[in-house]
């Protein structure tokens, strides 16, 4: 039986050409800031988003930690949507390691609610209250089914945040999907943020790696913090080369993943119009039972609640795989 694994878009394996790029990468010691391939990747990503600098991190969680910490200090707060990855899927690291607090708004599609943000916002009111120093948004929003945040909403947030002196952080783990789905230039997403985290191992097919993108000052401080957290690696160019290859070859093809997700959604009774990128969330009576039965038929999906199943299309999922997965899941849901 052929196994079709839709649990995450992090499950891809490096292509043969990506492996060659990794094997042939020019490397140096990145703790000494001497890895030329890491430099090339960081400079390229910073340029794509119109920022001054970027820093390679081994994981998306670490990139988010570095980015949020550049805007929010211990005892201060970040506001975000209630299902944000930085709150729900990073094991409380922002509070446990950085001393950061948070409050949330809720939206069924994970969207920005600027009216709610304004109501939650707490300015500096002296040594009695927690101060809001950043707003965090997630684009695309993982647990809201890969929904895209409209650029106009982000621009409105940017204008308001500037007016009150708070920063804007974007968890852009799947910003590439948002870019391909909408045609929005990456530099426009960079323009609405003060600190941005992007991922290379979700969708783009790299085996490891994310980047924090910001100012020279933010990145210099983050380099110290990265080392303190154990993220100072040596010949990281082997990994950075995979990221450069992914940017060259795997961005525009994300449109195929979006088409495959819409195909599956339609077959299982989910409105394809609600599937904007590569994530499909299905409401079912018993998520655990559906996950188990699908696995028996060669399709792996994940439960994200007692009555919700999530699946993600990716580089290693062909059109034929999507057709077969749709057939299996339609029979179960």
């Amino acid at each position: 039986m052929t196994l079709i694994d839709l649990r995450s878009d992090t499950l891809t394996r490096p292509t043969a050409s990506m492996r060659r790029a990794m094997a042939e990468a020019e490397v140096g010691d990145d703790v000494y800031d001497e890895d030329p391939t890491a430099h090339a990747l960081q400079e390229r990503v910073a340029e794509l988003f119109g920022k001054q600098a970027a820093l390679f991190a081994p994981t998306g969680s670490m990139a988010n930690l570095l980015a949020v910490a550049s805007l929010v200090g211990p005892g201060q707060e970040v506001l975000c949507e209630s299902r944000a990855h930085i709150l729900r899927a990073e094991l409380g690291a922002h509070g446990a390691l950085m001393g950061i607090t948070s409050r949330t708004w809720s939206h069924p599609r994970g969207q920005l609610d600027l009216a709610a943000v304004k109501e939650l916002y707490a300015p500096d009111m002296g040594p009695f209250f927690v101060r809001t120093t950043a707003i965090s948004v997630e684009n695309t929003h993982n647990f809201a089914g890969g929904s895209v945040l409209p650029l106009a909403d982000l621009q409105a947030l940017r204008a308001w945040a500037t007016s009150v002196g708070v920063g804007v952080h974007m968890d852009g783990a799947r910003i590439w999907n948002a870019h391909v789905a909408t045609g929005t230039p990456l530099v426009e997403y960079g323009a609405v943020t003060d600190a941005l985290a992007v991922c290379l191992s979700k969708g783009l097919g790299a085996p490891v790696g994310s980047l924090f993108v910001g100012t020279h000052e933010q990145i210099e401080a983050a380099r110290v913090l990265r080392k303190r957290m154990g993220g100072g690696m040596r010949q990281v160019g082997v990994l950075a080369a995979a990221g450069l290859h992914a940017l060259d070859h795997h961005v525009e093809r994300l449109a195929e993943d979006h088409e495959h997700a819409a195909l599956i959604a339609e077959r299982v009774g989910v409105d394809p119009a609600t599937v904007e990128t590569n994530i499909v969330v299905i409401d079912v009576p018993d998520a655990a039972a559906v996950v188990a039965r699908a696995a028996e038929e060669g399709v792996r999906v994940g439960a994200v609640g007692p009555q919700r199943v999530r699946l993600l299309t990716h580089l290693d999922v062909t059109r034929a795989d999507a057709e077969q997965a749709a057939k299996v899941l339609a029979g179960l849901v």
Side-chain angles (χ1 to χ4, degrees), residues 236-316:
V236 74
V238 173
L239 302 175
L244 286 168
H245 183 86
L247 291 174
D248 286 337
H249 300 283
H250 295 166
V251 175
E252 296 307 320
R253 64 144 307 279
L254 290 171
E256 298 175 20
D257 297 343
H258 301 170
E259 292 172 5
H260 296 161
L263 180 156
I264 296 172
E266 185 173 17
R267 303 281 178 85
V268 300
V270 173
D271 182 358
T274 66
V275 180
E276 299 178 77
T277 53
N278 69 319
I279 303 177
V280 182
V281 178
I282 310 170
D283 293 322
V284 297
D286 186 341
V290 170
V291 169
R293 291 174 62 192
E296 291 173 359
E297 297 189 45
V299 178
R300 286 184 174 177
V301 294
V304 289
Q307 295 179 311
R308 303 196 94 194
V309 168
R310 185 189 69 161
L311 62 91
L312 294 87
T313 52
H314 52 77
L315 180 64
D316 288 355

Side-chain angles (χ1 to χ4, degrees), residues 153-199:
D153 290 353
L154 295 170
Q155 290 171 333
L157 172 65
R158 168 77 278 166
W160 173 80
T162 299
S163 73
V164 297
V166 302
V168 175
H169 161 259
M170 182 181 289
D171 177 354
R174 295 181 176 87
I175 195 68
W176 322 104
N177 295 87
H179 161 64
V180 169
T182 65
T184 301
L186 294 171
V187 70
E188 296 286 353
Y189 287 130
V192 298
T193 65
D194 296 290
L196 173 67
V198 301
C199 186

